[in-house]
Amino acid sequence: MTSPSDLGTTRPNLIVIMADDLGYGDLSCMGSEFRTPHLDRLAASGIRFTNWYSNAPVCSPSRAALLSGRYPHRTGVTHILGGRRGAVPGLSDGVPTFAEALRDRAGYRTAHVGKWHLGTDRAALPDRHGFDQWFGFTAGCFDYYSHLFYYDPALNPVHDLWDNGAEIYRNGEYATDLFTDEAVGAIRSWSAADSDDPFCLYLGYNAPHYPMHAPAEYLDRFRHLPDDRRIMAAMVSCMDDGIGRILDELDRQDLTEDTCVFFMSDNGPSPESRNWMDGREDPYYGGSAGVFRGHKYSLYE
């Protein structure tokens, strides 16, 4: 049995996974018709926080609050930040993050993978906020295959995929799988290193945020659902499989008992639709809030 004194010196590995616009009711462990066996496995083997609230109903402020432990207005990030290339200010150097605390005070190795959405200014990027390495995109959303950001159809699309600040091109690779691959690779790299220092991985999936893109193999799994729910189910299922791969890698590296895994969504499901750069309407059907009312942008549950 672990004593309180032991807990003071224990340094577990930490994996923090944040989904994007996932509805409270869109996991099978929360009553959805979607099948999410890997997240169900995580829920069954751990604790479900069913009375837990995001600090904001939109993405940038909720992510700033998660990283800092502060209310959004105390981080300087109070609204959805822009994602166009250039110096978009965001999380400033003066705001502490859990990555900085873990790295600088407890000797953790740290990495960010996936969606950042806390500014594109140099001072706002992940490596300025406690992450030794980072791979992902800086905007609020992008095309899952081309990795172009084209939120505003009046502007030219901007490529937005980075590896430690260097722009990289992986056209045609599905973003959810890309981020899972990077997360699994980081765990393997840390496991192979000659170090006893623990690690902290912050993984920000962009699923199931619009645009509504899903691989054919996942769409085929949900032929029985209406088209709107079918695409959402496929996106969530691909993310769930990715999390399964991460959990399996922890098992493979004999790290499961030494690792705390946290999973959450940044805010509620969205009811929106967006006009994309080709001028067509791309419906964003969002997800289900389950037993609650409201959605992204609202302050209902």
Side-chain angles (χ1 to χ4, degrees), residues 280-298:
R280 67 186 175 88
E281 183 81 0
D282 187 6
Y284 178 41
Y285 299 100
S288 167
V291 298
F292 300 113
R293 65 174 173 165
H295 46 73
K296 178 179 181 178
Y297 303 118
S298 84

Side-chain angles (χ1 to χ4, degrees), residues 64-78:
L66 169 69
L67 283 172
S68 67
R70 295 181 173 185
Y71 290 114
H73 71 276
R74 296 195 61 231
T75 70
V77 181
T78 58

Side-chain angles (χ1 to χ4, degrees), residues 213-250:
H213 296 163
E217 63 182 287
Y218 287 95
L219 290 170
D220 288 344
R221 289 185 183 182
F222 299 98
R223 291 177 177 173
H224 60 289
L225 294 179
D227 284 346
D228 54 352
R229 295 294 280 169
R230 181 186 181 191
I231 299 174
M232 177 64 68
M235 297 172 77
V236 171
S237 183
C238 184
M239 178 180 66
D240 181 69
D241 278 354
I243 292 168
R245 286 179 54 202
I246 291 167
L247 298 178
D248 288 345
E249 189 63 30
L250 292 175

